[in-house]
Short mmCIF file of all heavy atoms in Angstrom, two decimals:
data_model
loop_
_atom_site.label_atom_id
_atom_site.label_comp_id
_atom_site.label_asym_id
_atom_site.label_seq_id
_atom_site.Cartn_x
_atom_site.Cartn_y
_atom_site.Cartn_z
N CYS A 1 51.18 24.99 -1.52
CA CYS A 1 52.61 24.81 -1.48
C CYS A 1 52.97 23.71 -2.38
O CYS A 1 54.17 23.73 -2.82
CB CYS A 1 53.02 24.63 -0.01
SG CYS A 1 53.31 26.10 0.97
N LEU A 2 52.23 22.62 -2.47
CA LEU A 2 52.63 21.44 -3.33
C LEU A 2 52.60 21.74 -4.79
O LEU A 2 53.29 21.17 -5.55
CB LEU A 2 51.64 20.34 -3.14
CG LEU A 2 51.60 19.77 -1.48
CD1 LEU A 2 50.49 18.82 -1.43
CD2 LEU A 2 52.97 19.22 -1.21
N ILE A 3 51.84 22.80 -5.31
CA ILE A 3 51.74 23.07 -6.73
C ILE A 3 52.32 24.37 -7.07
O ILE A 3 52.46 24.77 -8.14
CB ILE A 3 50.29 23.03 -7.08
CG1 ILE A 3 49.40 24.01 -6.37
CG2 ILE A 3 49.69 21.70 -7.03
CD1 ILE A 3 48.02 24.09 -6.66
N GLU A 4 52.98 25.11 -6.12
CA GLU A 4 53.67 26.37 -6.35
C GLU A 4 55.12 26.03 -6.50
O GLU A 4 55.61 25.02 -6.28
CB GLU A 4 53.52 27.40 -5.21
CG GLU A 4 52.05 27.96 -5.08
CD GLU A 4 51.94 28.73 -3.85
OE1 GLU A 4 52.76 28.56 -2.93
OE2 GLU A 4 51.02 29.61 -3.80
N HIS A 5 55.95 27.12 -6.95
CA HIS A 5 57.36 26.90 -6.99
C HIS A 5 57.93 26.62 -5.77
O HIS A 5 57.57 27.17 -4.67
CB HIS A 5 57.95 28.15 -7.68
CG HIS A 5 57.66 28.43 -9.02
ND1 HIS A 5 58.14 27.57 -10.03
CD2 HIS A 5 56.97 29.30 -9.60
CE1 HIS A 5 57.80 28.08 -11.24
NE2 HIS A 5 56.95 29.22 -10.98
N LYS A 6 58.85 25.49 -5.65
CA LYS A 6 59.36 25.23 -4.27
C LYS A 6 60.37 26.22 -3.87
O LYS A 6 61.36 26.55 -4.60
CB LYS A 6 59.91 23.79 -4.58
CG LYS A 6 59.07 22.69 -4.87
CD LYS A 6 57.82 22.59 -3.89
CE LYS A 6 56.92 21.37 -4.26
NZ LYS A 6 56.22 21.64 -5.44
N ARG A 7 60.23 26.67 -2.63
CA ARG A 7 61.23 27.50 -1.97
C ARG A 7 62.17 26.63 -1.22
O ARG A 7 61.89 25.53 -0.94
CB ARG A 7 60.55 28.51 -1.12
CG ARG A 7 59.65 29.42 -1.85
CD ARG A 7 59.05 30.58 -1.10
NE ARG A 7 58.30 30.10 0.12
CZ ARG A 7 57.61 31.04 0.92
NH1 ARG A 7 57.42 32.29 0.45
NH2 ARG A 7 56.98 30.67 1.93
N LYS A 8 63.26 27.29 -0.64
CA LYS A 8 64.28 26.63 -0.05
C LYS A 8 63.80 26.11 1.36
O LYS A 8 64.24 25.17 2.04
CB LYS A 8 65.55 27.54 0.19
CG LYS A 8 66.28 27.80 -1.16
CD LYS A 8 67.42 28.90 -0.83
CE LYS A 8 68.07 29.16 -2.19
NZ LYS A 8 69.15 30.13 -1.96
N ASP A 9 62.68 26.87 1.84
CA ASP A 9 62.21 26.54 3.16
C ASP A 9 60.82 25.80 2.97
O ASP A 9 59.95 26.00 3.77
CB ASP A 9 62.17 27.69 3.99
CG ASP A 9 61.05 28.74 3.52
OD1 ASP A 9 60.78 28.74 2.24
OD2 ASP A 9 60.59 29.59 4.27
N PHE A 10 60.69 25.05 1.93
CA PHE A 10 59.43 24.36 1.50
C PHE A 10 58.91 23.61 2.82
O PHE A 10 57.78 23.63 3.24
CB PHE A 10 59.54 23.44 0.38
CG PHE A 10 58.48 22.62 0.15
CD1 PHE A 10 57.25 23.02 -0.36
CD2 PHE A 10 58.54 21.27 0.63
CE1 PHE A 10 56.19 22.12 -0.69
CE2 PHE A 10 57.45 20.39 0.36
CZ PHE A 10 56.32 20.84 -0.22
N TRP A 11 59.74 22.73 3.43
CA TRP A 11 59.39 21.88 4.39
C TRP A 11 58.95 22.61 5.68
O TRP A 11 58.10 22.28 6.42
CB TRP A 11 60.39 20.78 4.66
CG TRP A 11 60.61 19.90 3.63
CD1 TRP A 11 61.64 19.65 2.79
CD2 TRP A 11 59.63 18.76 3.32
NE1 TRP A 11 61.39 18.66 1.84
CE2 TRP A 11 60.11 18.10 2.20
CE3 TRP A 11 58.35 18.38 3.71
CZ2 TRP A 11 59.46 17.01 1.53
CZ3 TRP A 11 57.71 17.38 3.07
CH2 TRP A 11 58.19 16.75 2.08
N GLU A 12 59.74 23.69 5.94
CA GLU A 12 59.48 24.55 7.00
C GLU A 12 58.08 25.29 6.96
O GLU A 12 57.26 25.40 7.88
CB GLU A 12 60.53 25.58 7.34
CG GLU A 12 61.86 25.12 7.77
CD GLU A 12 62.78 24.51 6.63
OE1 GLU A 12 62.34 24.48 5.49
OE2 GLU A 12 63.89 24.18 7.00
N MET A 13 57.78 25.73 5.71
CA MET A 13 56.62 26.22 5.36
C MET A 13 55.41 25.29 5.59
O MET A 13 54.35 25.55 6.17
CB MET A 13 56.58 26.82 3.99
CG MET A 13 57.28 28.26 3.80
SD MET A 13 56.58 29.49 4.80
CE MET A 13 54.99 29.67 4.15
N GLN A 14 55.55 23.95 5.20
CA GLN A 14 54.59 23.07 5.24
C GLN A 14 54.33 22.73 6.74
O GLN A 14 53.28 22.55 7.21
CB GLN A 14 55.02 21.80 4.47
CG GLN A 14 54.72 21.80 3.09
CD GLN A 14 53.35 21.90 2.66
OE1 GLN A 14 52.57 22.81 3.04
NE2 GLN A 14 52.82 20.89 1.93
N MET A 15 55.52 22.67 7.60
CA MET A 15 55.40 22.45 8.89
C MET A 15 54.54 23.61 9.54
O MET A 15 53.72 23.24 10.42
CB MET A 15 56.70 22.28 9.54
CG MET A 15 56.65 21.98 11.09
SD MET A 15 58.35 22.06 11.82
CE MET A 15 59.08 20.61 11.07
N HIS A 16 54.81 24.71 9.17
CA HIS A 16 54.18 25.92 9.70
C HIS A 16 52.73 25.91 9.52
O HIS A 16 51.83 26.03 10.26
CB HIS A 16 54.86 27.24 9.12
CG HIS A 16 54.14 28.41 9.57
ND1 HIS A 16 53.07 29.00 8.72
CD2 HIS A 16 54.19 29.26 10.63
CE1 HIS A 16 52.63 30.19 9.38
NE2 HIS A 16 53.33 30.23 10.56
N HIS A 17 52.28 25.45 8.21
CA HIS A 17 50.84 25.40 7.81
C HIS A 17 50.15 24.37 8.64
O HIS A 17 49.15 24.51 9.26
CB HIS A 17 50.73 25.08 6.31
CG HIS A 17 51.21 26.28 5.50
ND1 HIS A 17 51.27 27.60 5.88
CD2 HIS A 17 51.36 26.34 4.04
CE1 HIS A 17 51.67 28.25 4.89
NE2 HIS A 17 51.78 27.66 3.85
N ILE A 18 50.86 23.15 8.66
CA ILE A 18 50.28 22.08 9.46
C ILE A 18 50.13 22.34 10.86
O ILE A 18 49.08 22.08 11.54
CB ILE A 18 51.06 20.71 9.24
CG1 ILE A 18 50.91 20.30 7.74
CG2 ILE A 18 50.63 19.55 10.11
CD1 ILE A 18 51.91 19.23 7.38
N VAL A 19 51.15 22.93 11.46
CA VAL A 19 51.10 23.20 13.07
C VAL A 19 50.03 24.36 13.24
O VAL A 19 49.30 24.25 14.14
CB VAL A 19 52.44 23.65 13.39
CG1 VAL A 19 52.39 24.38 14.79
CG2 VAL A 19 53.55 22.53 13.41
N THR A 20 49.90 25.28 12.27
CA THR A 20 48.92 26.27 12.52
C THR A 20 47.67 25.89 12.46
O THR A 20 46.71 26.12 13.31
CB THR A 20 49.17 27.47 11.37
OG1 THR A 20 50.45 28.02 11.47
CG2 THR A 20 48.05 28.48 11.54
N VAL A 21 47.27 25.03 11.45
CA VAL A 21 45.85 24.34 11.35
C VAL A 21 45.59 23.54 12.50
O VAL A 21 44.46 23.57 13.08
CB VAL A 21 45.78 23.56 10.02
CG1 VAL A 21 44.41 22.84 9.98
CG2 VAL A 21 45.82 24.48 8.82
N SER A 22 46.60 22.69 12.96
CA SER A 22 46.45 21.86 14.09
C SER A 22 46.10 22.77 15.33
O SER A 22 45.39 22.45 16.27
CB SER A 22 47.64 20.89 14.39
OG SER A 22 47.89 20.20 13.25
N LEU A 23 46.96 23.74 15.62
CA LEU A 23 46.77 24.66 16.75
C LEU A 23 45.43 25.29 16.77
O LEU A 23 44.74 25.36 17.86
CB LEU A 23 47.86 25.67 16.69
CG LEU A 23 47.87 26.59 17.95
CD1 LEU A 23 48.09 25.96 19.25
CD2 LEU A 23 49.04 27.62 17.69
N ILE A 24 45.00 25.73 15.63
CA ILE A 24 43.61 26.41 15.47
C ILE A 24 42.60 25.31 15.91
O ILE A 24 41.73 25.59 16.61
CB ILE A 24 43.41 26.92 14.12
CG1 ILE A 24 44.31 28.09 13.85
CG2 ILE A 24 41.93 27.35 14.11
CD1 ILE A 24 44.35 28.60 12.36
#
C-alpha cells in the first residue's frame, strides 16, 4: 500500500491490513 498509487481510502485500507494481521 505504501508503494502503490494512493487511494482515497488509503488510511482505512492500512487500518484494515494492520487490524487483520493483528487479529490473525
